[in-house]
Amino acid sequence: MISQTDIFNASILIVDDQPVNVELLEFLLSSTGYTAVSSTTDPYVVAGWHAEHQYDLIILDMQMPGMTGFDVMEAIRPLETESWLPVLVVTAQPDHKIKALELGARDFVSKPFDPVEVLTRIRNMLEVRLLHRETRGYNTLLEQTVRERTAELQRFRSAMDATADAIFLLDASSAELVDVNDGACRMLGYPRSEMLGQTASRIGLGAPAALCEQAERLIAFATAVGPVRAPELLELELMRRDLIAVPVELYWQLLQRAGQPTVLLGVARDISERRQAEELLQHMAHYDSLTGLPNRTLFFQTLTDAVALAQEKSWRIVVLFIALDRFKNINDSLGAALGDELLRQFSNRLVQCVRIRDTVGRMGGDEFALILTMTRDQQDAVHMANEVREALRLPFDLDGHPAALSASIGIAMYPDDATDPHTLVKYADTAMERAKQAGRDGYRFFTAGMNVQVLARLDMELALRRALEHNELLLHYQPKVNLHTGEIAGAEALLRWQRPGCGLVYPAEFVPVLEDTGLIVRVGAWIIDAACRQIGAWLRSDVGPVRVAVNVASRQFIEGDLELMVRSALLRHDVPPELLELELTETALMSNTERTISVLTSLKALGLKVAIDDFGTGYSSLAYLQRFPIDKLKIDIAFVRDITTNPNDAAIAQAIISMAHSLKLRVIAEGVETRAQLEYLRRSRCDEIQGYYFSRPVAPLEMGQLVLSGHSLPPDPAQDGQPAQTLLIVDDDVNVLSSLHRLFRRDGYQILTAATPGEGFELLALHAVQVIVCDQRMPVMSGTEFLSKVKEMYPETIRIILSGYTGLDAVLDSINRGAIYRFYTKPWDDTQLRDNIRLAFHHYWLMHGSGRLVGHPGEDVTALQEVK
């Protein structure tokens, strides 16, 4: 409201060219209480003064020289933007009054003045002017407030729309959507107009009652404590326009402003990527990245659940533990990438074998496992094991390389073998190891005896670790003999373990444990050092130089510094390098080929000899042999054991000898236990042998005594000047043997007799035989079977059947195949038989003699005497 004080303090300007009029009006106003009265007789200054002081009222005379009141009004009009001129016109002419009002004047006063009228009009105009100004100020303030609010809302809207999160504004009392930001529209796929038409429950924010309760809780908390500093986060799913759920993390806040409705503000963040990452991590934690199968962790979880259910349902659970046989050989030769591809292909085949309710898992490396839920019939486990083996029958295609595999499978059963998952898997693993030891490509059920063996193995492992620390290991030495001279050519160092309470333990019992645990690297270093120490001791004694071979495991190339190990041992014990020989298996050569070649080349440069042990049992080829710096091949005992009776073994041994000699390599045969084996190898031009026939492995002292004693092999029978004609008679009837011996003795032959084919094979190995006479009907092996093998092993011999057996089919077949030279029947005619045997020797020398005159050593002597 406008007060009296406001009116009396209003600013008034009097404009009149007559000073008397000015003085009169000034007196009239000042005498009635107005305090801010100004005046001028110059109309030209009015516009400038008004621009500066903004007068509340201008009392303007219209009739002035030079510049009329109308001109003054025109001058001040631009200063009043709302065309409200605070002008009180003073004039005596009526037409001036109307024109002045039309130009914007608010009122007029007629001359001569009426004081009361003048004061009344002045007061009224001042009240209107002040009210107008107050209203305009309020409007300005209102407009400013609106502008500020608009700007604030715009900033809020911009902030809301700028965030990627979805923001929802809800009326706290009704839970209705008031507003949303662009993020909410993008997240749920609605335009803003449609979004505001949705209910909170339809888009997944929650039921109205629940949202109102949420608002009440926040209000109560804010009233009691204050605004929530750490908002409560919820995880829920909002529903898109296309009905696809969006997982979000949501929190609620209250917006409370005086005089305004309380707003429930929800901020939702899309956590789809986080959910996917969590699911991926969860998958990675429980599934094998290579095959996609459950890993060891998930497998045990599944097995635990299966056992719990089996306890409740009285079911049987079967665990199959599967290991691929010789997978490492394929992985090493073709590379890890193709090895991984092989595992992927096998896992696919494995999954196709099982039922939907069964579980397949990868336990690590080349090991897999199955969980089968079955009835009480364990035959289902056998069927599954055979299906797995059958799945491996077809070769795998590894980038054009065909690969054939087999599997060893162990089977353990709940509740028969164990009732907890870890023991069940352990027992299945144990059974798998037994399947491997039994020859691979098979399956074994777990038995209690296997567990005893496992515990014994663990005990051996602990004892072996102590053996290194307590100096329980020692070396024995098996002599190697030169077949050309018969003298000792060196020795092989063989590991022994003097185990407390158990006596001397042989390598076959504990070396596999050393290899599995990795102790073979430390033990291998010890062997090299101990062998060099013994070589040095012999060298500085009466025994003298003895070349010693030591076995080197493949892990010594991979995990140890073999070159440094050998150099250090030689230097430490002052041993010439040429007295140390390294024996490596083909497997050791083939693993990490380039590094192996590099190490062996360096050691060869020192003067060491290198031999391949157990040759013929691995996978190396002639091309690979040429790449390695080797000096000797060692024929495996598997080919020596039956070399005198098995044509295949004999052929392999002869092929190895021939190939080695063509490559300028020496050949050693191990496991020689009989004189027959020795002589066969000697005639086959083998260079060295070792085995029980000459000597068992002995302690260092005994080895030294053997060297000092000059102990050697018996001489080669071919050098004894034996008669050139040797006849072998094989018959299980001793009377027939005696008769034939008497019959042919008069012809000057060296006659050998054998009552069994086995004795015949031994005599053939020991002697150079030209003609063989054999009975057809013998136990164990017929004459034709015996002579068929002889043909393969001794193709130059003349082979004759002498039999009273009338069934001639087998004999005729053997004659047609060339296994038999002649067939004669019992009883025989002495003269005719002697003539026929003489012709057989004659035929031999025609085919294999040198063509010199008969009667000379090594030539046909059948013509020297007449048959008597």
Side-chain angles (χ1 to χ4, degrees):
M1 294 294 293
I2 304 302
S3 65
Q4 184 76 16
T5 303
D6 293 332
I7 293 173
F8 285 146
N9 289 331
S11 59
I12 302 172
L13 175 63
I14 302 170
V15 182
D16 198 317
D17 61 327
Q18 299 295 323
V20 64
N21 292 335
V22 172
E23 292 176 5
L24 177 60
L25 288 173
E26 283 181 343
F27 175 77
L28 182 61
L29 291 172
S30 60
S31 62
T32 54
Y34 292 97
T35 60
V37 179
S38 303
S39 63
T40 181
T41 57
D42 184 1
Y44 291 101
V45 301
V46 174
W49 286 10
H50 185 57
E52 181 180 354
H53 300 291
Q54 289 293 308
Y55 295 108
D56 295 317
L57 180 62
I58 300 174
I59 303 173
L60 178 62
D61 183 27
M62 300 304 291
Q63 191 69 34
M64 290 183 291
M67 187 176 189
T68 66
F70 298 111
D71 296 331
V72 173
M73 290 176 65
E74 289 293 341
I76 66 174
R77 184 188 300 278
L79 303 178
E80 297 291 339
T81 56
E82 296 182 1
S83 302
W84 201 100
L85 300 180
V87 175
L88 178 63
V89 175
V90 180
T91 183
Q93 297 181 18
D95 56 337
H96 286 179
K97 297 176 183 178
I98 297 172
K99 185 178 179 182
L101 291 174
E102 291 175 352
L103 292 174
R106 296 289 114 185
D107 206 349
F108 56 85
V109 176
S110 300
K111 289 183 180 181
F113 296 132
D114 180 352
V116 175
E117 180 188 2
V118 171
L119 291 175
T120 300
R121 291 183 182 278
I122 288 173
R123 182 182 181 89
N124 290 339
M125 281 194 64
L126 287 173
E127 282 186 358
V128 173
R129 174 66 172 179
L130 292 177
L131 282 171
H132 180 268
R133 179 179 290 172
E134 186 178 272
T135 301
R136 189 172 59 184
Y138 179 75
N139 288 340
T140 301
L141 179 61
L142 204 58
E143 290 173 0
Q144 181 179 353
T145 302
V146 169
R147 285 195 299 271
E148 290 175 354
R149 292 290 178 86
T150 301
E152 184 180 348
L153 286 173
Q154 187 60 42
R155 287 194 297 273
F156 181 64
R157 166 66 62 193
S158 298
M160 284 178 59
D161 291 340
T163 180
D165 296 338
I167 299 177
F168 304 92
L169 301 180
L170 286 77
D171 188 305
S173 60
S174 64
E176 292 181 356
L177 278 173
V178 175
D179 201 359
V180 294
N181 71 336
D182 287 346
C185 297
R186 287 193 302 270
M187 179 184 289
L188 302 184
Y190 286 99
R192 186 184 300 273
S193 58
E194 286 189 37
M195 175 71 84
L196 295 177
Q198 304 297 321
T199 61
S201 58
R202 181 175 178 82
I203 61 177
L205 288 172
L211 292 171
C212 290
E213 288 180 9
Q214 175 75 25
E216 290 172 2
R217 284 197 302 272
L218 291 173
I219 291 170
F221 189 90
T223 303
V225 179
V228 181
R229 292 188 178 182
E232 178 184 355
L233 295 178
L234 308 172
E235 284 195 11
L236 48 81
E237 291 184 344
L238 301 182
M239 189 61 65
R240 285 172 50 90
R241 186 184 189 188
D242 53 11
L243 302 183
I244 295 176
V246 180
V248 298
E249 186 179 73
L250 176 71
Y251 71 88
W252 294 105
Q253 274 186 313
L254 278 180
L255 292 180
Q256 291 179 300
R257 303 188 68 172
Q260 297 183 17
T262 300
V263 173
L264 187 62
L265 182 144
V267 179
R269 175 164 294 174
D270 188 340
I271 57 172
S272 299
E273 290 185 4
R274 191 178 79 189
R275 283 273 183 92
Q276 291 172 1
E278 289 172 353
E279 291 172 1
L280 179 60
L281 288 174
Q282 187 75 0
H283 187 275
M284 291 172 64
H286 292 91
Y287 290 87
D288 175 51
S289 59
L290 178 64
T291 64
L293 296 177
N295 62 10
R296 192 178 188 89
T297 301
L298 182 56
F299 183 86
F300 273 104
Q301 289 178 5
T302 306
L303 183 56
T304 301
D305 296 340
V307 167
L309 186 61
Q311 288 175 338
E312 180 182 338
K313 303 289 186 181
S314 298
W315 288 346
R316 172 176 283 181
I317 300 294
V318 177
V319 174
L320 276 70
F321 201 98
I322 305 165
L324 299 180
D325 298 331
R326 298 184 179 89
F327 170 77
K328 186 177 184 301
N329 292 336
I330 294 177
N331 200 54
D332 290 345
S333 58
L334 297 183
L338 291 182
D340 289 347
E341 176 61 22
L342 176 59
L343 293 176
R344 278 191 291 269
Q345 291 187 27
F346 172 68
S347 67
N348 291 337
R349 293 190 188 181
L350 196 57
V351 170
Q352 293 172 5
C353 291
V354 301
R355 301 164 297 185
I356 294 177
R357 68 174 181 266
D358 300 331
T359 298
V360 183
R362 184 186 179 200
M363 308 304 284
D366 63 342
E367 295 177 340
F368 298 80
L370 302 182
I371 303 171
L372 311 180
T373 304
M374 307 187 328
T375 61
R376 302 303 296 176
D377 185 7
Q378 72 173 14
Q379 195 61 30
D380 286 353
V382 175
H383 292 327
M384 179 55 66
N386 286 328
E387 282 191 38
V388 172
R389 294 169 62 203
E390 193 63 32
L392 289 165
R393 294 286 185 255
L394 290 176
F396 295 87
D397 183 6
L398 304 178
D399 194 21
H401 299 278
L405 274 182
S406 61
S408 299
I409 304 171
I411 305 172
M413 310 186 77
Y414 165 90
D416 308 67
D417 300 322
T419 56
D420 71 280
H422 285 83
T423 304
L424 207 55
V425 172
K426 182 181 77 171
Y427 285 174
D429 188 5
T430 300
M432 180 273 294
E433 290 293 341
R434 294 302 174 272
K436 276 192 173 183
Q437 294 172 9
R440 307 175 188 268
D441 192 19
Y443 61 86
R444 289 290 184 273
F445 282 87
F446 175 80
T447 64
M450 291 181 182
N451 197 41
V452 171
Q453 293 171 349
V454 170
L455 294 175
R457 178 188 168 92
L458 290 174
D459 180 60
M460 177 175 285
E461 182 180 331
L462 293 173
L464 279 171
R465 294 185 184 278
R466 291 194 298 269
L468 269 173
E469 301 169 1
H470 298 163
N471 298 318
E472 297 171 9
L473 299 178
L474 52 97
L475 293 180
H476 280 189
Y477 297 87
Q478 186 171 38
K480 296 180 181 181
V481 187
N482 188 314
L483 282 178
H484 306 300
T485 65
E487 299 175 351
I488 293 175
E492 179 181 2
L494 298 170
L495 184 63
R496 298 290 185 267
W497 177 20
Q498 191 68 45
R499 185 176 181 183
C502 299
L504 202 62
V505 183
Y506 288 87
E509 300 180 45
F510 65 88
V511 167
V513 180
L514 292 176
E515 291 175 342
D516 291 345
T517 58
L519 287 172
I520 193 67
V521 177
R522 291 174 56 195
V523 172
W526 179 89
I527 291 173
I528 291 172
D529 185 76
C532 288
R533 185 189 308 114
Q534 185 60 60
I535 294 171
W538 282 330
L539 188 62
R540 287 177 278 279
S541 70
D542 294 338
V543 176
V546 178
R547 178 180 290 120
V548 174
V550 297
N551 290 282
V552 178
S554 58
R555 294 185 71 160
Q556 288 180 264
F557 282 95
I558 299 171
E559 300 177 20
D561 191 338
L562 181 63
E563 183 179 352
L564 177 62
M565 194 184 304
V566 170
R567 286 177 180 270
S568 301
L570 292 172
L571 183 63
R572 186 162 46 248
H573 301 292
D574 192 19
V575 171
E578 57 269 16
L579 293 182
L580 183 63
E581 184 175 298
L582 302 181
E583 290 189 358
L584 301 91
T585 64
E586 292 174 84
T587 303
L589 284 175
M590 300 297 287
S591 60
N592 201 351
T593 304
E594 299 305 324
R595 173 170 169 74
T596 302
I597 292 174
S598 174
V599 172
L600 291 181
T601 301
S602 298
L603 293 175
K604 278 275 294 177
L606 288 177
L608 273 74
K609 300 294 183 182
V610 179
I612 299 181
D613 196 10
D614 301 334
F615 188 80
T617 61
Y619 299 95
S620 62
S621 64
L622 183 61
Y624 267 97
L625 285 179
Q626 291 177 314
R627 292 186 62 194
F628 291 103
I630 56 178
D631 302 284
K632 299 179 181 179
L633 298 182
K634 198 169 187 181
I635 303 175
D636 187 72
I637 188 174
F639 306 118
V640 175
R641 188 179 292 113
D642 299 322
I643 196 170
T644 61
T645 59
N646 188 321
N648 292 332
D649 289 348
I652 291 173
Q654 289 179 347
I656 292 173
I657 293 169
S658 177
M659 178 184 69
H661 287 170
S662 68
L663 294 174
K664 306 298 189 293
L665 304 177
R666 291 179 64 80
V667 183
I668 310 168
E670 63 179 344
V672 176
E673 299 181 355
T674 67
R675 176 72 184 269
Q677 292 170 341
L678 167 68
E679 297 304 338
Y680 186 87
L681 287 165
R682 180 145 51 187
R683 284 213 309 277
S684 299
R685 298 183 302 117
C686 185
D687 299 298
E688 297 178 16
I689 61 104
Q690 71 180 85
Y692 283 11
Y693 178 76
F694 184 82
S695 173
R696 293 173 175 269
V698 294
L701 179 61
E702 295 175 69
M703 180 66 202
Q705 291 172 348
L706 275 175
V707 175
L708 286 172
S709 68
H711 182 55
S712 62
L713 288 173
D716 184 353
Q719 300 175 356
D720 292 343
Q722 64 178 356
Q725 317 281 49
T726 303
L727 172 66
L728 171 63
I729 306 171
V730 183
D731 199 307
D732 61 323
D733 188 333
V734 294
N735 294 321
V736 172
L737 287 178
S738 298
S739 298
L740 291 174
H741 189 277
R742 286 194 302 271
L743 176 65
F744 295 122
R745 183 174 53 190
R746 70 186 71 176
D747 295 326
Y749 305 134
Q750 175 180 327
I751 300 174
L752 308 174
T753 59
T756 66
E759 291 180 16
F761 279 124
E762 184 171 358
L763 289 171
L764 284 167
L766 290 170
H767 304 277
V769 176
Q770 290 83 42
V771 178
I772 305 169
V773 176
C774 180
D775 183 32
Q776 170 64 4
R777 300 193 69 174
M778 294 184 294
V780 181
M781 185 182 297
S782 69
T784 52
E785 290 174 333
F786 170 70
L787 292 181
S788 293
K789 289 189 175 184
V790 171
K791 179 206 173 195
E792 294 184 46
M793 298 176 64
Y794 306 94
E796 296 179 353
T797 56
I798 304 298
R799 299 168 294 279
I800 298 171
I801 285 286
L802 179 63
S803 177
Y805 178 53
T806 56
L808 301 180
D809 291 344
V811 175
L812 292 175
D813 180 64
S814 296
I815 292 175
N816 291 335
R817 288 188 288 105
I820 298 175
Y821 170 69
R822 290 285 189 273
F823 169 68
Y824 304 119
T825 60
K826 295 178 181 178
W828 60 83
D829 178 274
D830 286 355
T831 302
Q832 184 180 12
L833 184 60
R834 289 177 64 196
D835 273 342
N836 288 331
I837 296 303
R838 176 175 168 275
L839 289 173
F841 275 107
H842 186 68
H843 179 78
Y844 177 88
W845 291 112
L846 286 176
M847 298 296 295
H848 306 294
S850 65
R852 295 194 299 268
L853 294 176
V854 295
H856 286 213
E859 295 297 331
D860 183 11
V861 296
T862 56
L864 293 181
Q865 56 187 358
E866 295 294 332
V867 176
K868 299 177 180 179

